[in-house]
């Protein structure tokens, strides 16, 4: 057969695979985007409450403690998980070159997942939160989430087992690692916090470990998986270095499980535990620069594409976010700086940089790539995408300046003043709080547009065209094919 | 192969045409993923990794070793003033802090006449200890300090005819509160109370209201000033920061 006909058959197979996963993938992305908008709105409420405590004080459900817990948990379980599920299913099906057979099962699990998130959110707002960071959802929910996860993960793993061809691509390493690590992380954390009655300090330590394990062993691997797919796919060149990818992967898997307890430095737990956590978090610098540079070197030389293609633009921005995260991982965990991060929102800023600046940005990139394929329609409005991108970048910058930098420089330093009153150092948080309000207002604008755009695509109202939606008017060549012509057929 | 099947080329045409019909534009225009690149890893990346490991190792080294009994890392004290905890400014009872500040004012402004022991010289300058003027009617006492006083004035069973100059110049409410608290609890006096800064502010307000350069006389004092200063009473045992004078929560 000729090369052209192989390509044409490939395109047909790709389309068949995309159609087979269309329903669950679009469901996860769209409902995730709705939860993201809800979470960001709750983020605005939370930060406004910090600097203007009288705001909305007539609503008991929106007191700071409840709004904050709802904001974080909806972000994690509503948006991050569902965005991750959509990405996992699509990537695994594409990379195993087989149609996905379990769409119905996964779709049912996805609906139940949303019901569970909704009920748990109501639980938090009426005051039934457990009070454990990132596990505030009422106790009933964790078993349900774990079971639903298995209904999503087992079909994906089955998909891997029946794959065509023996080669396992870099993205699949990360997907498999995340698939297997999650039940361990989630089960361990919930059993130690909710089932086994132990020391409350140890429960706090386990909760910190859970938080970091979830970010660095589940969410970020899936984001890396997407980036390792999007960057070479759009640029049309191989991933820069296989060895670097190996190093980045094994470094993350080896380091990730040790992270987290540095949050408890100064708490009455054995002193080596926070220091081990700090060391591991510093070592996250290794996977951050290896993965980050590997992806950036893959994109290098295709700067025009990185401007034009929504997928590649978000991927590039998320990769820069990853490099920043690696740098902050070192700086924030130096013993001298670590002291200043206690009782400030620096830790929150670091988590938000990981979840929004890296994970969400890379997943947005994947979504802008995946959605036109599974819906077979093109994105409607480049203006919406540009707006989503620009304002998201502003939000990430505001997170870095407001939460991470001001979080240390002002309240952290103020706390160390021996003769100053505690109130004066608490007041130093105000700058961060105002910045946070700006952050989440930016993110709110960006994500309302994103959510609306995605909902239109879900409703199959996208453009029916052979022209991709590009962000910059292009002259001449584009890997998406020249105007009016479809490449590779 | 096509040559052997002249009428129907089922190897390619059917699949091809179906694929082309079925494929969507976006799937069709994609690049294929290529085999992984094998670019050599840059020395700079390796050096950066070593840097990360070095910093990590340093931090691990500060953990104080693997021990379940060690709950506080060495060097981890959230608040430590310069020179160590021993030299730290510790909160003290407000009466002690005020009296200590007052003693400094006293030695600068008062002890030349009233003597370091506060008992006067026995000839021209009356004693401050064992004196009704200092221990009762704090408003009158404050006005004597601020305006000065013109004799004759009866103190400790004797009549004194000297003239005391005004001391209001440069006297802040904090200074006045400290000075009065010091005198009322020294030289044999022990009222055990504190003249608060609020009271001292009221005293200075009364001084400004009088608005006269002439020293006050006993007749004037007795006509208008025989009362205590207004202002909330402060518990003399409450602990304050000696520098900021702000109460410290225990």
């Amino acid at each position: 057969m000729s090369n052209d006909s192989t390509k044409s058959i490939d395109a047909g197979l790709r389309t068949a695979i995309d159609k087979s996963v269309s329903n669950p993938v679009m469901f996860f992305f769209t409902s995730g985007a709705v939860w993201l908008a809800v979470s960001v709105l709750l983020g605005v409420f939370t930060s406004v409450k910090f600097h203007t405590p009288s705001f909305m004080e007539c609503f008991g459900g929106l007191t700071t403690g409840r709004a904050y817990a709802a904001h974080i948990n909806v972000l994690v379980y509503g948006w991050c998980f569902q965005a991750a599920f959509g990405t996992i299913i699509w990537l695994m099906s594409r990379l195993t070159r087989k149609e996905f057979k379990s769409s119905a099962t996964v779709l049912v699990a996805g609906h139940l997942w949303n019901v569970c998130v909704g009920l748990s959110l109501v639980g938090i707002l009426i005051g039934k939160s457990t009070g454990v960071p990132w596990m505030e959802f009422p106790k009933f929910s964790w078993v349900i989430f774990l079971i639903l996860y298995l209904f999503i993960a087992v079909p994906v793993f089955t998909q891997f087992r029946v794959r065509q061809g023996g080669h396992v691509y870099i993205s699949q390493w990360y997907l498999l690692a995340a698939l297997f690590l999650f039940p361990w992380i989630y089960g361990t954390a919930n059993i130690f916090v909710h089932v086994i009655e132990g020391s409350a300090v140890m429960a706090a330590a386990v909760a910190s470990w859970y938080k970091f394990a979830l970010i660095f062993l589940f969410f970020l691997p899936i984001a890396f998986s997407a980036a390792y797919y999007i960057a070479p796919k759009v640029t049309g060149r191989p991933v820069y270095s296989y060895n670097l990818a190996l190093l980045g992967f094994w470094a993350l898997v080896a380091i990730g499980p040790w992270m987290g307890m540095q949050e408890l430095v100064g708490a009455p737990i054995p002193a080596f535990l926070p220091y081990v956590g700090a060391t591991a978090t510093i070592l996250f610098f290794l996977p951050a620069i290896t993965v980050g540079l590997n992806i950036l070197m893959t994109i290098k030389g295709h700067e025009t594409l990185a401007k034009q293609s929504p997928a590649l633009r978000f991927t590039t921005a998320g990769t820069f976010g990853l490099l920043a995260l690696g740098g902050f991982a070192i700086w924030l965990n130096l013993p001298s700086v670590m002291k200043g991060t206690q009782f400030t929102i620096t830790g929150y800023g670091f988590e938000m940089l990981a979840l929004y600046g890296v994970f969400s940005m890379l997943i947005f990139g994947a979504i802008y790539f995946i959605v036109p394929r599974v819906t077979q329609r093109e994105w409607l409005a480049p203006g919406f995408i540009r707006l989503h991108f620009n304002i998201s970048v502003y939000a990430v910058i505001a997170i870095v300046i407001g939460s991470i930098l001001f979080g240390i420089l002002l309240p952290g330093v103020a706390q160390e003043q021996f003769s100053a009153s505690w109130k004066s150092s608490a007041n130093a948080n105000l700058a961060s709080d105002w910045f946070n309000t700006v952050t989440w207002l930016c993110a709110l604008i960006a994500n309302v547009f994103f959510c609306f755009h995605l909902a239109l695509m879900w409703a199959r109202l996208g453009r029916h065209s052979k022209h991709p939606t590009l962000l910059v008017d292009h002259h001449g060549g584009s890997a998406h094919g020249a105007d009016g012509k479809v490449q590779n057929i | 192969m096509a040559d052997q099947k002249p009428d129907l080329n089922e190897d390619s045409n059917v699949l091809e045409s179906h694929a082309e019909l079925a494929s969507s534009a976006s799937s069709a225009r994609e690049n294929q993923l290529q085999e992984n690149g094998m670019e050599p890893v840059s020395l700079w990346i390796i050096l950066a990794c070593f840097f990360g490991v070095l910093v990590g190792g340093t931090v691990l080294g500060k953990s104080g070793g693997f021990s379940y009994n060690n709950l506080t890392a060495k060097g981890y004290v959230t608040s430590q003033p310069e020179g160590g905890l021993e030299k730290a400014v510790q909160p003290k009872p407000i009466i002690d802090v005020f009296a200590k500040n007052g003693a400094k004012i006293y030695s600068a402004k008062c002890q030349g006449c009233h003597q370091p022991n506060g008992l006067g010289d026995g000839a021209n300058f009356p004693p401050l200890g064992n004196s009704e003027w200092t221990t009762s009617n704090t408003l009158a006492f404050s006005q004597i300090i601020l305006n000065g006083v013109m004799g004759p004035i009866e103190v400790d069973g004797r009549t004194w005819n000297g003239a005391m100059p005004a001391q209001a110049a440069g006297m802040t409410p904090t200074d006045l509160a400290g000075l009065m608290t010091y005198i009322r609890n020294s030289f044999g006096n022990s009222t055990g109370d504190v003249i608060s800064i609020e009271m001292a502010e009221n005293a200075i307000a009364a001084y400004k209201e009088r608005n006269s350069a002439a020293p006050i006389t006993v007749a004037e004092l007795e006509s208008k000033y025989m009362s205590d200063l207004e202002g909330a009473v402060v518990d003399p045992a409450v602990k304050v920061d000696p520098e900021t004078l702000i109460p410290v929560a225990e």
Side-chain angles (χ1 to χ4, degrees), chain A residues 5 10 233 236 373 416 488, chain B residues 16 30 32 34 37 70 78:
Chain A
S5 66
D10 278 352
K233 193 83 179 170
R373 284 157 180 80
E416 290 291 303
N488 292 346
Chain B
E16 239 181 87
E30 274 180 44
Q32 279 202 307
Q34 300 186 33
N70 174 19
T78 304

Side-chain angles (χ1 to χ4, degrees), chain A residues 1-2 4-5 7-12 14-15 18-19 90 94-95 167-170 173 228-229 232-244 247 265-272 275-276 278-279 282-283 285-286 289-290 293 330 333-335 338-339 342 369 372-373 376-378 415-420 465-469 479-481 486-489, chain B residues 1 9-42 44-82 84-85 87-91 241-244 246-248:
Chain A
M1 284 191 288
S2 71
D4 277 357
S5 66
K7 278 179 178 169
S8 148
I9 293 164
D10 278 352
R14 284 201 283 260
T15 307
D18 290 345
K19 277 183 180 163
W90 187 83
R94 271 296 191 91
L95 290 168
H167 181 69
V168 179
Y169 182 65
I170 303 169
W173 310 344
Y228 269 123
Y229 187 87
K233 193 83 179 170
V234 177
T235 57
R237 60 152 292 172
V239 167
Y240 175 70
S241 166
Y242 179 76
N243 291 330
L244 213 50
L247 175 63
V265 64
I269 61 171
F272 71 89
Y275 276 78
V276 167
T279 305
I282 287 173
L283 291 180
F285 180 69
L286 271 62
I289 59 159
T290 45
L293 291 179
I330 289 193
N333 289 289
L334 299 174
M338 218 167 16
K339 284 196 281 192
Q342 305 288 303
F369 189 84
R373 284 157 180 80
Q376 299 180 24
R377 301 285 191 279
E378 300 301 331
Q415 281 167 25
E416 290 291 303
Q417 302 307 308
F418 190 77
S419 53
S465 160
K466 290 197 168 186
H467 302 254
T469 304
H480 283 301
V486 175
Q487 210 183 4
N488 292 346
I489 281 189
Chain B
M1 280 167 71
N9 186 351
E10 59 193 6
D11 283 338
S12 56
N13 281 357
V14 177
L15 284 173
E16 239 181 87
S17 45
H18 273 117
E20 209 156 322
L21 282 174
S23 65
S24 75
S26 47
S27 306
R29 66 169 177 258
E30 274 180 44
N31 297 308
Q32 279 202 307
L33 278 181
Q34 300 186 33
E35 286 302 307
N36 297 313
M38 281 303 217
E39 306 267 357
V41 177
S42 154
W44 291 109
I45 296 179
I46 296 171
L47 282 178
C49 287
F50 271 116
F51 169 72
V53 173
L54 193 68
V55 176
T58 314
V59 171
L60 192 62
K62 291 189 179 175
S63 68
F66 178 82
S67 156
Y68 282 102
N69 298 321
N70 174 19
L71 295 185
T72 316
K74 204 178 162 196
Y76 185 88
V77 177
T78 304
S79 307
Q80 188 154 22
E82 283 177 39
L85 278 175
K87 293 187 184 171
V89 196
Q90 297 290 355
D241 184 304
E243 285 173 4
T244 61
I246 294 167
V248 177

Side-chain angles (χ1 to χ4, degrees), chain A residues 319-372:
Chain A
T319 311
F320 278 112
L322 174 63
L323 294 179
L325 190 72
F328 282 123
I330 289 193
W331 185 55
L332 292 179
N333 289 289
L334 299 174
S336 51
V337 180
M338 218 167 16
K339 284 196 281 192
T341 64
Q342 305 288 303
F343 309 108
T344 75
I345 63 169
T346 306
Y348 171 77
F350 187 74
E351 288 152 17
M352 289 304 114
L353 179 60
L355 283 189
Y356 199 88
V358 183
F359 172 80
S360 297
M361 294 298 271
L362 293 177
I363 293 293
F364 288 146
I367 288 176
Y368 280 113
F369 189 84
I370 294 169
V371 169

Side-chain angles (χ1 to χ4, degrees), chain B residues 138-149:
Chain B
T138 52
L139 178 59
F141 179 31
S142 69
Q143 297 311 307
I144 292 172
I145 296 172
L146 293 169
N147 293 290
V149 66

